[in-house]
């Protein structure tokens, strides 16, 4: 199991943050219910009443009207809103320090979906998942349980939703400490026999066509059932969630302010082949180089004079490329630091990545010039020729991080200005700019950043060289008129980070509803 | 000051969460630097060296190349990335429990922007803001300070960026406990005399045309300078940041998983007048009613079988309306709860709003039918006639929350099905659906939600009644084929929440770069 989450053999994930989401308890064990105590603790003696009220509450909400009318007749128009109570979940039972043994003897209710059902001669095993964690609750049932007829008649099948009431008992099996001895079962929503997520080999490609059901492929068992895939479905989504929250935490704890950058822009639609029209969307920094008109760094730098800000929002690229590394719609994290240079930028990117994923490993930095020298000297045969001035290809990037530096993340800095965007700060050598790319094993470029050109005359000169219209960039130049400062920032494609943390090979499996050229279902 | 942040006279903001951002210290005082200790604590005896290294680091990044070459010549290709160190900020000095008095005697560096400069006969006062908090550092300078010639010659003006080195001393003024006695000043970036954010009355409309400089209007002093506006610029952005982070915290602490819903969709472009074409964007739930084809609840419900999920991302509406309550691009928070009914939904919405903004106040709920009765009986004269079956107008919503219930947030539930979306659960009365709107003072509708129709036959029936094509909704219906469950959720327009929390009247001032019909600059 553990190996599936190791980004590479030479990197180790930190148990905190990312992996926290893979354990049963996402929170501090001593304080698991920061806001609302679980219902079971509030009324441990009356689980049946809890069960009944959940059922009636959920299924017969129309009844409410009567009581409202009764109140009204009493002359009280309006009533108080009820308390938001955390319901008992599988994670609460199995996620404790003794994996549920402390709940043995308690009667509880589980509401969820049937993952598997095995009927033996005298006993039926139902694996139920309620979405609160990756682990199922094994429910054991004999023919004397209320509602057993629904099982017998074949109504309860894989994919069906059910309510089960039972007692927590020690499990005879080796896979879990406790299981549920069923007293009563209620079918909530049946599952048609055509249910596509069956216990058989299902390819990633097939699952993408079932994106609305894909999260149901999240059991540990599925790890080897699904064609040997290391990860699938909801597990990736859970890592994604944990990475997103860790991202916010890191920046908030370090004094950054989150801002939402606009998506709709009024940029001219030149180079239309590479842009969505009508709504002109924002390219990633890589595209910015290829299509200079798009290169306005709207989303990131220079917009404000706060010390440190970051964005985290969706981004779009209209380029018609079908690779396992690109999406038409993806999420980006873009911090920007005022009064900062490229070294600060690299340090921030490193601290960020260490916080959310990788621990106990040095990050290496070297210049583009040194990287080229290293690649030229390498014994490896590359598909693309290496020489000073060329952009690094994925094969070069991966060689650097995976082989030359033995699996360490590598930051390459000071690229030739011709292959980078106009707004990057020119170095004193006249040939390079203060840009940096962070390369990680299996992914290649994960982060791209730069110190920005804060000197008005250099910036205007570069615009002129590239035959870009100064008027288009009026507000960006304006910021250099009024208290310009050295500043730097970077962009990180969030789905690549999810790939890096999970081991998922195709970027389309790193986002719930992938959009690629010609693909926008769901 | 405090009154400016009270959403209404009858609601009180909780000091925790939202208001936390308005204090100097956003974090736990006992542990202010969870990741990186401040530089001043690392080397308190050598502030001059810190100052020098910041300057050279920021301004002369090209020098780095030399040391890299030196290392290379030693035979070491690649070097270790430096530590990401938190720099000392004004918030660190003035935000302590004794407002900076504990730092008296220390020499520190402040880097920021000039807010005001007052030259008296023997002494010059410069108010500097570094973006770390709303408070400025008052810097006091006499003619013997290094770099004073730049002040004398008029180079340092409002809007300019500067580095100042000085000693923390007790302040003679009443507005702050400490100030900075300047030893040295360096102009980083001058400000052109045309700088538009001067110390004079500036209207909100004018500031919107200067969105790239608007955050500089954030001083407390500006509260009365800017035409009596309660809030402006960066202060709103800070509240926005705090609300966003509190949103993530609330849902994460309550077992929700954040998912990113797609923005690009392949929906048919019927009713094109109300949609962005080429890229078909997602309407808010209100629009969903007005333009039924758009009503697929892609972004929210039924996509997954996890217990609880939420989205927080940008949303778009193509309707050509120019009001102070609508944007073409806005952010939405949309939680969805499985195995939940409308009561759970209302309880969740209430708990959420209490967590992020409003404390110590009851939330009232009543049915639409009761609300109509109450409005009909009201002595108030409304512009729009009230009768059962009509949608509530803003004036009705505000009457309910502001007058009928004395400033309490009010949840109206069980609306006529004709004025709500097809996917809302039909009540047993055959006339109403399990929908709810939360109304708050000054804003009206802040939250709209519903229990979803989980019964396949009811859902298909409603689609047919509305002449909507079942094929379009194949995957939504599919979820009702395979283990359907009662579920509910709501949507909250984030900018309205920002309006509610800040008192900002026009929604265009609640987002950094507002997009409205015909307006997409920056």
């Amino acid at each position: 199991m553990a190996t599936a989450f190791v980004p590479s053999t030479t990197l180790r994930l930190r148990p905190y943050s990312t992996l926290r989401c893979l354990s049963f308890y996402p929170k501090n064990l001593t304080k698991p219910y920061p806001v609302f105590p679980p219902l079971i603790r509030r009324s441990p003696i009356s689980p049946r009443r809890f069960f009944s009220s959940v059922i009636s509450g959920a299924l017969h909400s129309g009844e409410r009207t009567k009581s409202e009318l009764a109140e009204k007749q009493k002359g009280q128009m309006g009533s108080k809103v009820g308390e938001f109570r955390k319901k008992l979940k599988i994670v609460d039972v199995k996620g404790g320090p003794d994996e549920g043994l402390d709940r043995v003897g308690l009667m509880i209710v589980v509401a969820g979906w049937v993952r598997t059902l095995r009927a033996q001669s005298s006993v039926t095993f139902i694996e139920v998942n309620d979405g609160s964690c990756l682990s199922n609750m094994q429910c054991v049932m004999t023919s004397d349980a209320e509602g057993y007829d629904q099982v017998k008649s074949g109504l309860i099948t894989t994919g069906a939703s059910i309510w089960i009431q039972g007692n927590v008992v020690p499990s005879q099996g080796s896979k879990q400490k406790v299981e549920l001895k069923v007293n009563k079962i209620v079918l909530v929503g049946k599952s048609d026999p055509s249910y596509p997520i069956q216990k058989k080999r299902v390819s990633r490609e097939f699952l993408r066509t079932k994106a609305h059901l894909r999260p149901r492929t999240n059991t540990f068992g599925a790890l080897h059932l699904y064609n040997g895939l290391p990860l699938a479905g909801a597990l990736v989504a859970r890592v994604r969630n944990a990475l997103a929250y860790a991202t916010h935490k890191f920046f908030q704890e370090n004094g950054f302010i989150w801002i939402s950058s606009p998506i709709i822009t009024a940029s001219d639609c030149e180079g239309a082949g590479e842009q969505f029209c009508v709504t002109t969307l924002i390219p990633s920094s890589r595209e910015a180089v290829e299509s200079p008109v798009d290169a306005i760094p709207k989303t990131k730098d220079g917009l404000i004079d706060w010390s440190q800000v970051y964005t985290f929002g969706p981004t779009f690229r209209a380029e018609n490329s079908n690779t396992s590394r690109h999406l038409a719609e993806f999420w980006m994290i873009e911090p920007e630091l005022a009064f900062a240079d490229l070294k600060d930028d690299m340090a921030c990117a490193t601290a960020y990545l260490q916080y959310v994923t990788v621990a106990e490993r040095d990050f290496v930095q070297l210049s583009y010039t040194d990287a080229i020298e290293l690649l030229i000297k390498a014994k490896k045969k590359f598909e693309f020729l290496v020489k000073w001035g060329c952009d690094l290809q994925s094969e070069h990037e991966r060689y650097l991080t995976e082989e030359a530096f033995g699996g360490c993340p590598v930051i390459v800095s000071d690229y030739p200005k011709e292959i980078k965007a106009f707004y990057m700060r020119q170095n004193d050598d006249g040939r390079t700019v203060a840009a940096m790319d962070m390369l990680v094993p299996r992914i290649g470029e994960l982060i791209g950043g730069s110190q920005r050109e804060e000197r008005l005359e250099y910036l205007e000169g570069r615009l002129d060289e590239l035959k870009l219209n100064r008027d288009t960039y009026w507000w960006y130049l304006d910021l250099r008129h009024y208290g310009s400062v050295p500043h730097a920032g970077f962009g990180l494609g969030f789905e690549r980070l999810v790939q890096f943390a999970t081991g998922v090979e195709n970027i389309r499996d790193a986002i719930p509803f992938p959009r690629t050229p010609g693909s926008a279902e769901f």
Side-chain angles (χ1 to χ4, degrees), chain A residues 299-321:
Chain A
T299 56
K300 27 194 167 181
D301 66 310
L303 295 182
I304 18 221
D305 68 0
W306 300 316
S307 298
Q308 301 183 150
V309 295
Y310 72 109
T311 72
F312 182 28
T315 313
F316 305 85
R317 67 199 301 280
E319 202 178 307
N320 190 14
S321 65

Side-chain angles (χ1 to χ4, degrees), chain A residues 407-470:
Chain A
C408 284
V410 173
I411 299 179
V412 178
S413 65
D414 302 293
Y415 283 78
K417 67 177 178 182
E418 283 74 20
I419 60 171
K420 289 290 179 185
F422 75 93
Y423 55 78
M424 298 185 180
R425 193 179 198 276
Q426 293 174 55
N427 287 332
D428 294 345
D429 61 14
R431 305 198 303 162
T432 63
V433 290
M436 65 101 174
D437 282 356
M438 185 188 287
L439 319 174
V440 296
R442 288 184 303 102
I443 308 294
E445 183 196 331
L446 178 65
I447 287 174
S450 69
Q451 185 173 345
R452 322 306 189 181
E453 185 56 83
E454 87 280 13
R455 298 163 298 183
L456 184 62
E457 61 282 14
Y458 282 82
L459 190 59
E460 288 179 337
R462 194 78 186 117
L463 286 175
D464 294 348
E465 268 176 44
L466 295 168
K467 299 194 179 18
L468 297 170
N469 188 345
R470 290 186 187 187

Side-chain angles (χ1 to χ4, degrees), chain A residues 130-202:
Chain A
D130 70 355
S132 68
C133 62
L134 296 165
S135 183
N136 301 325
M137 177 64 82
Q138 174 161 293
C139 301
V140 187
M141 191 178 209
T142 48
S143 58
D144 57 343
E146 192 179 333
Y148 178 74
D149 53 315
Q150 298 167 99
V151 177
K152 202 179 169 189
S153 62
L155 267 177
I156 292 172
T157 57
T158 300
S161 51
I162 54 172
W163 267 285
I164 284 189
Q165 184 195 46
N167 286 86
V168 179
V169 297
S171 176
Q172 318 250 315
S174 60
K175 287 196 287 184
Q176 62 275 317
K177 290 270 172 63
V178 297
E179 59 192 25
L180 207 65
K181 171 91 181 67
V182 180
N183 300 322
K184 182 173 175 178
I185 184 168
V186 176
L187 175 67
V188 178
K190 66 184 170 59
S191 181
D192 193 87
S194 62
Y195 186 60
I197 315 290
Q198 298 291 343
K199 197 175 179 176
K200 63 182 179 190
R201 280 169 182 259
V202 179

